[in-house]
């Protein structure tokens, strides 16, 4: 099994590691917040920030480059239409890692919340249906 050049190692092969990062980035762009381990969050930060920087230009070439990494067209459309314009004036630092005090149940790994900087929790909460008291 080949070793990675730098950083943490996830999965059994380099292709599995790429798929893990792609799936985490896809969930981050769709939900704008993801809970994962600290190690995966540290590995995801440069990956996600490079994708947001490419999406800021809005060119067809950059859209195709991002589609090669994230295969869900709805997520890429959401990234280009809603997320990238928010960061048009920001030179970088689109994400943050917040360490969680709880640990993962299976292996006691430290958890973290990885989110976009301008994420608001109130906007993400779904409206509760039912009778008001």
């Amino acid at each position: 099994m080949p070793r990675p050049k730098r950083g943490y190692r996830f999965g059994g092969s380099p292709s599995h590691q790429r798929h893990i990062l792609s799936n985490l980035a896809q969930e981050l762009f769709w939900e704008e917040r993801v809970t994962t381990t600290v190690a995966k969050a540290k590995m995801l930060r440069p990956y996600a920030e490079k994708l947001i920087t490419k999406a800021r230009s809005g060119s067809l070439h950059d859209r195709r480059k991002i589609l090669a990494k994230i295969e869900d067209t709805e997520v890429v459309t959401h990234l280009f239409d809603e997320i990238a314009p928010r960061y048009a004036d920001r030179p970088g630092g689109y994400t943050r890692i917040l360490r969680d005090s709880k640990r993962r149940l299976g292996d006691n790994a430290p958890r973290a919340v990885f989110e976009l900087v301008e994420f608001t929790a109130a906007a993400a909460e779904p409206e509760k249906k039912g009778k008001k008291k």
Side-chain angles (χ1 to χ4, degrees):
M1 174 177 10
R3 294 190 62 190
K5 292 181 181 177
R6 63 187 163 101
Y8 297 98
R9 182 63 175 177
F10 309 118
S13 64
S15 64
H16 189 209
Q17 183 167 342
R18 281 193 299 270
H19 286 305
I20 289 172
L21 288 175
S22 174
N23 289 336
L24 281 172
Q26 180 176 336
E27 186 176 348
L28 172 70
F29 296 144
W30 192 251
E31 300 289 331
E32 299 186 11
R33 178 180 221 175
V34 62
T35 302
T36 185
T37 62
V38 173
K40 286 181 185 174
K42 286 182 178 181
M43 191 74 160
L44 178 62
R45 174 178 262 167
Y47 185 84
E49 292 205 2
K50 287 175 188 174
L51 293 178
I52 293 172
T53 302
K54 283 184 183 180
R56 283 177 49 196
S57 73
S59 69
L60 180 62
H61 178 68
D62 287 331
R63 185 178 292 262
R64 287 178 176 161
K65 294 284 263 187
I66 292 174
L67 275 169
K69 294 183 183 281
I70 299 175
E71 297 176 357
D72 191 352
T73 56
E74 290 181 29
V75 173
V76 174
T77 303
H78 181 75
L79 173 64
F80 272 81
D81 294 344
E82 296 180 24
I83 295 174
R86 274 193 255 161
Y87 302 110
D89 298 331
R90 192 177 184 102
Y94 314 117
T95 59
R96 77 167 63 104
I97 299 173
L98 302 171
R99 290 180 185 253
D100 197 356
S101 61
K102 298 178 183 175
R103 292 175 119 3
R104 195 164 63 182
L105 286 177
D107 57 356
N108 204 25
R111 292 191 322 177
V113 176
F114 189 78
E115 65 184 15
L116 298 176
V117 171
E118 296 180 4
F119 172 77
T120 57
E125 293 290 326
E127 294 182 17
K128 293 185 179 181
K129 296 180 181 178
K131 296 179 183 178
K132 293 185 180 179
K133 294 183 180 179

